Amino acid sequence: AGIRPYDVISSFDGREVGGKAWLTNRIATARPGQEVELGIVRNGEGFSLHLAVGQAPDQTTPKGSPSDLDSFGLDVEDLSADVARSMGYEGEHGVLVTDVEPGSLAADTGFQWGDLILEINRRVLRSQADYKRTLERAQEGDLIIFRIRRGEARVVLAAQMQ
């Protein structure tokens, strides 16, 4: 019951999620107690949840709280079949960008929520482990080339590691 870690919110009140900022704005403008329908993808299965919007908690972050963002400034997850279908990435491989840290190297490079990273330095990515292993090898000053899919477009982004 409710939202669990690794769930992907695919829609909010019948509208497809247009990115993290879009979803954050919709939640922020909802009234506490308002009933909303969320489209959820969990372990490749899609379903709906009906929830009441709560009051925003204290915005202070506890010291030492864990973050899923890597040192590059991205949070990524493996591309499940259901998410691939809902985002139009059927038949693709790679890792899906689920968060970009504002002001990070990833943000400066141009990454956006929903980007699908297909390759790093011409190495095909099939999993989050491939992504992490490839970035861990990068040293300060290395030029890293990312081939991504953003909607229907295929884009190449480059970053010099810091």
Side-chain angles (χ1 to χ4, degrees), residues 52-74:
V53 175
Q55 182 69 37
D58 179 10
Q59 295 298 310
T60 58
T61 303
K63 201 170 192 174
S65 70
S67 171
D68 291 332
L69 294 165
D70 58 29
S71 61
F72 184 60
L74 290 180

Side-chain angles (χ1 to χ4, degrees), residues 24-126:
T24 301
N25 289 337
R26 294 308 173 282
I27 294 169
T29 57
R31 294 179 324 279
Q34 177 182 342
E35 292 281 329
V36 296
E37 179 183 359
L38 296 180
I40 303 289
V41 178
R42 178 181 297 154
N43 298 323
E45 300 290 323
F47 61 94
S48 294
L49 282 177
H50 294 272
L51 302 172
V53 175
Q55 182 69 37
D58 179 10
Q59 295 298 310
T60 58
T61 303
K63 201 170 192 174
S65 70
S67 171
D68 291 332
L69 294 165
D70 58 29
S71 61
F72 184 60
L74 290 180
D75 184 17
V76 300
E77 66 181 39
D78 292 337
L79 182 66
S80 71
D82 201 44
V83 171
R85 196 171 25 263
S86 71
M87 296 189 75
Y89 292 155
E90 286 179 293
E92 293 283 9
H93 55 80
V95 294
L96 186 67
V97 174
T98 57
D99 197 7
V100 182
E101 181 178 20
S104 67
L105 181 55
D108 292 345
T109 300
F111 278 96
Q112 299 175 11
W113 178 93
D115 284 346
L116 180 64
I117 305 173
L118 304 169
E119 297 177 4
I120 300 177
N121 289 344
R122 299 181 186 229
R123 288 193 178 100
V124 173
L125 298 183
R126 301 240 178 250

